[in-house]
Amino acid sequence: MSEILILNTQTEYVEQCAALQPLCYPTLAKEEQFTAEHFLSHIRLFPEGQFMAIDRETGHVVGTTAGFLTYYDQIDQEHFQHHKFIDAIAGGWLTNHNPHGNYYYGVDMCVHPDYRGRGIARRLHDARKALCKRLNLKGQVIGGMIPGFANYKHVMTAHEYVRCVQAGLIYDSTLTTQLRNGFVLRGMLQNYLNDPPTDGWSTLLEWRNPDYVEPGQPAPPVSQDASHPPPATARPPSVS
């Protein structure tokens, strides 16, 4: 099995990154999928917050995740009741990035269908968590798709479906992974995405940084978790 490298997203790979979007989100509206130009904007604005997974053997991008910094007092249903994905991502350009934000807004988690089940999403999540700890952010907030709901929407509501996923009665390729990575459900977002199969339903999820220190408070001793080192920033090896 070939080695997968987790790196900060680099400009020479933006076309490959964009090519993954329709493979990972085939039902999502085109205007909510990222182009190569969008990825270039993400890198210009917040390079350390963009990550990609590279198959070392082939040199191909097999996974990506994008995000930006934003400020929230709290993450709950009331404050996000009118929240829309296209607005949050500034039409895909992430120009809402706030360098002084206290939360990382996780925009997507994209893994090539042929590479799923190999822990790539978990490693990309680990890279985002490491960033939050390094920047002393309160945590992450995401609006998550629930793709499996399309198969159940005629027999249960979106809220019932999510409760079944939380209870382990139904496996959802996105939500189950997010819950396993420490995200907690804070509410439901109606019409968050333009995704007809799920009627636009998404979850509002939060991951809290366990190492967060309020400004002005003394920082705890720093310990390096050797099992989750920060992603490399060096260029990936060339592939002949």
Side-chain angles (χ1 to χ4, degrees):
M1 185 176 292
S2 56
E3 182 184 0
I4 303 298
L5 305 177
I6 305 299
L7 306 165
N8 286 112
T9 306
Q10 299 170 16
T11 56
E12 59 264 44
Y13 289 89
V14 295
E15 294 287 351
Q16 289 192 46
C17 293
L20 282 181
Q21 292 280 298
L23 292 177
C24 296
Y25 309 114
T27 63
L28 196 62
K30 291 295 183 183
E31 65 269 18
E32 295 182 344
Q33 296 182 23
F34 296 135
T35 65
E37 289 72 23
H38 287 136
F39 280 104
L40 287 173
S41 176
H42 306 170
I43 295 169
R44 284 193 298 267
L45 288 166
F46 186 35
E48 61 267 46
Q50 321 307 320
F51 303 96
M52 64 181 184
I54 294 276
D55 184 328
R56 184 183 180 92
E57 183 177 321
T58 65
H60 293 159
V61 176
V62 297
T64 64
T65 188
F68 61 96
L69 298 187
T70 187
Y71 188 92
Y72 292 118
D73 288 321
Q74 58 192 74
I75 311 299
D76 60 29
Q77 183 80 58
E78 180 181 355
H79 288 81
F80 282 77
Q81 60 181 326
H82 301 301
H83 194 66
K84 307 295 182 190
F85 180 66
I86 196 68
D87 297 330
I89 64 172
W93 303 105
L94 305 194
T95 49
N96 289 341
H97 171 64
N98 177 359
H100 304 292
N102 61 349
Y103 274 91
Y104 178 91
Y105 194 111
V107 172
D108 68 351
M109 182 65 64
C110 188
V111 177
H112 192 290
D114 294 344
Y115 284 78
R116 291 172 185 168
R118 294 177 55 176
I120 294 174
R122 176 186 57 77
R123 292 181 60 195
L124 290 169
H125 275 296
D126 286 346
R128 296 194 334 194
K129 291 175 183 178
L131 175 71
C132 289
K133 293 180 179 183
R134 191 163 67 250
L135 298 181
N136 191 39
L137 303 177
K138 279 190 173 181
Q140 301 178 55
V141 59
I142 56 176
M145 298 182 74
I146 44 174
F149 176 56
N151 300 320
Y152 291 87
K153 67 180 184 180
H154 299 299
V155 295
M156 64 178 69
T157 67
H159 293 74
E160 291 169 335
Y161 173 81
V162 167
R163 286 195 291 270
C164 286
V165 175
Q166 287 181 296
L169 302 175
I170 296 176
Y171 173 84
D172 184 274
S173 59
T174 297
L175 180 56
T176 299
T177 299
Q178 292 161 337
L179 295 174
R180 288 175 178 173
N181 277 278
F183 283 89
V184 176
L185 183 72
R186 299 302 186 201
M188 297 291 293
L189 302 174
Q190 188 172 16
N191 298 318
Y192 173 70
L193 294 163
N194 185 355
D195 183 52
T198 59
D199 295 336
W201 279 103
S202 298
T203 55
L204 174 63
L205 298 163
E206 180 186 12
W207 175 82
R208 288 281 184 91
N209 176 8
D211 297 342
Y212 174 70
V213 178
E214 287 284 353
Q217 298 297 315
V222 176
S223 62
Q224 176 65 45
D225 184 352
S227 63
H228 299 308
T233 55
R235 300 169 68 87
S238 60
V239 178
S240 57

